[in-house]
Amino acid sequence: AQYPLGGPERHLSFMYHTTQPVQYPEYAVQDSLMISELVAVGGANGLQDPAEPGESTPWVEIYNSSSQAIDLTGYQLANTLFFPHQYTIPAGVTIAPNSYLTFYLDDDPEQRPLHASITPIRTGDTFSLHSPFGIVLDSVTYTDELESGGVFVRDITSPTAVWEVTSCTTPGAENVTTCGSYLPLIRR
């Protein structure tokens, strides 16, 4: 939808997801994908980049809770809710059923496909996962704990999948909730 209708070149666009995936499959929302872990700064919790030894980069982990592999071609990662086209996942990237997939947030797109051309920015910004049509599937907002080297993890076994801050990382694997420094995330 657009507003105003037939208006000038500056207009507002709205995207709505549908509850009728049979008639409009391109707008169906994949509810089995979620962001499960985020490290916003490199350092001790960053991932070592195999193409650049010694460099530690921010990263994000996506979890597929379904029993089917999902082709991520065209899905998007962004450090904002409002501009989803910051990094479009290229063709050929799939996530196995009940599995985790880790993306480097190192702004090195030439190292594709798992190196996103974005980086987390600052406290208050929101990292988001979008469908190929720009629909927000999941998001998490940075806090001071993330900027100071903390790790956002989500206990996906919990019915509410609550975000927490820790100093333990588990890229590509189930999140650990018993590392000793787990704290509930305080929303501001």
Side-chain angles (χ1 to χ4, degrees):
Q2 293 182 355
Y3 177 85
L5 293 175
E9 64 272 355
R10 296 194 77 209
H11 62 269
L12 301 174
S13 296
F14 303 91
M15 178 79 66
Y16 301 97
H17 73 330
T18 180
T19 57
Q20 302 171 357
V22 174
Q23 292 95 334
Y24 306 101
E26 65 272 21
Y27 296 111
V29 173
Q30 183 59 261
D31 62 357
S32 58
L33 292 175
M34 69 172 68
I35 300 168
S36 61
E37 195 166 352
L38 175 66
V39 171
V41 279
N45 292 319
L47 279 182
Q48 295 299 309
D49 186 343
E52 299 173 35
E55 182 178 316
S56 177
T57 66
W59 54 277
V60 66
E61 178 184 81
I62 307 298
Y63 177 64
N64 173 10
S65 65
S66 77
S67 59
Q68 309 245 341
I70 297 175
D71 180 0
L72 294 178
T73 301
Y75 282 77
Q76 300 150 6
L77 299 173
N79 58 18
T80 175
L81 284 175
F82 306 108
F83 300 103
H85 302 291
Q86 289 181 311
Y87 178 70
T88 301
I89 300 171
V93 176
T94 60
I95 184 169
N98 299 303
S99 293
Y100 302 84
L101 186 62
T102 304
F103 288 88
Y104 294 86
L105 303 178
D106 59 3
D107 201 16
D108 283 334
E110 67 280 354
Q111 294 181 28
R112 286 180 166 235
L114 299 180
H115 289 259
S117 54
I118 55 173
T119 55
I121 298 178
R122 62 186 178 274
T123 297
D125 286 342
T126 300
F127 190 86
S128 53
L129 169 65
H130 301 256
S131 77
F133 292 90
I135 298 167
V136 176
L137 302 178
D138 198 9
S139 65
V140 60
T141 301
Y142 313 150
T143 66
D144 295 335
E145 295 93 344
L146 261 185
E147 276 197 11
S148 61
V151 180
F152 269 3
V153 293
R154 187 181 249 170
D155 180 2
I156 59 166
T157 61
S158 163
T160 57
V162 174
W163 283 102
E164 298 185 35
V165 178
T166 184
S167 60
C168 298
T169 62
T170 57
E174 184 175 344
N175 295 336
V176 176
T177 59
T178 57
C179 74
S181 58
Y182 232 64
L183 303 169
L185 175 62
I186 299 169
R187 293 282 180 198
R188 295 186 170 96

